[in-house]
Amino acid sequence: MALATAKWLTPFFPPPSPSPSPSSFPSSGSLWFFTRGTTSRSNQFLSANQKFPTLLLSSPNRRFTARYSEYKFPDPIPEFADAETEKFRNHLLQKLSKPSKKDTYGESVEEVVGVCTEIFSTFLHSEYGGPGTLLVIPFIDMADAVSERGLPGGPQAARAAVKWAQSNVDKDWREWNGGDSN
């Protein structure tokens, strides 16, 4: 049985210019990557809960290490999730109940909105921790769940849902938390 291997990247800085100042640090634009060695696939990827590895940055004149810290998103806020779920439900019901959508959804509007709202609520209560944590997975799940239940317009409902979420959820979260961006 062969062990899968993958190349890993080692960053380095190019040689300094002819007259560098002793305290200057190369700009991020001058950081280059080149492949060096191999590592086993099982050791290549880190889970989200592991600390990032120490990264060795080197140039002919400098050797140092830098530790990347892990950012922890805040836990979901149940009260925010409840309020946002209600806004989401009202918007989606209004959007899918338009006369132009009658051909697509017919009498199934309430049921389609219910499926999408349940999935969105579960996501907000368990996963959403502020800007940067809005994922596409719940919206894919919406399209799949609507289609699996034999209801019409799953992809269209999920598209309307994701458009609303992209425009509103992060903004509403910031307002809920008094303008704090974390």
Side-chain angles (χ1 to χ4, degrees):
M1 181 170 147
L3 181 62
T5 60
K7 297 225 181 237
W8 49 279
L9 298 175
T10 302
F12 75 100
F13 292 102
S17 62
S19 59
S21 68
S23 63
S24 69
F25 185 78
S27 69
S28 61
S30 64
L31 180 62
W32 298 343
F33 289 92
F34 63 94
T35 60
R36 176 182 155 156
T38 59
T39 183
S40 71
R41 186 178 180 110
S42 62
N43 293 333
Q44 181 184 10
F45 301 104
L46 299 174
S47 74
N49 294 328
Q50 290 178 315
K51 290 285 184 196
F52 292 103
T54 298
L55 182 62
L56 180 62
L57 303 173
S58 64
S59 75
N61 298 330
R62 294 186 189 113
R63 264 185 115 57
F64 62 94
T65 61
R67 168 115 10 221
Y68 289 96
S69 63
E70 182 177 338
Y71 179 77
K72 301 242 183 207
F73 287 96
D75 290 333
I77 303 170
E79 296 81 14
F80 170 76
D82 292 338
E84 202 67 6
T85 298
E86 189 59 33
K87 286 181 184 179
F88 173 80
R89 185 186 189 301
N90 291 337
H91 170 78
L92 200 57
L93 185 59
Q94 180 183 2
K95 181 83 172 173
L96 302 184
S97 295
K98 288 184 177 180
S100 61
K101 304 289 182 180
K102 284 285 186 196
D103 292 341
T104 304
Y105 298 102
E107 301 297 319
S108 303
V109 173
E110 287 282 340
E111 205 171 348
V112 170
V113 169
V115 169
C116 293
T117 301
E118 179 183 337
I119 292 169
F120 188 66
S121 177
T122 301
F123 168 73
L124 288 178
H125 281 90
S126 62
E127 300 286 327
Y128 184 76
T133 61
L134 183 61
L135 305 175
V136 71
I137 295 168
F139 304 102
I140 294 169
D141 292 345
M142 288 177 197
D144 291 346
V146 169
S147 297
E148 286 172 3
R149 294 182 187 191
L151 298 170
Q156 295 87 346
R159 182 169 173 9
V162 76
K163 282 180 68 177
W164 181 87
Q166 286 176 321
S167 298
N168 295 285
V169 177
D170 288 347
K171 178 179 62 88
D172 291 347
W173 191 91
R174 285 184 191 99
E175 289 173 8
W176 185 276
N177 288 293
D180 187 13
S181 63
N182 290 345

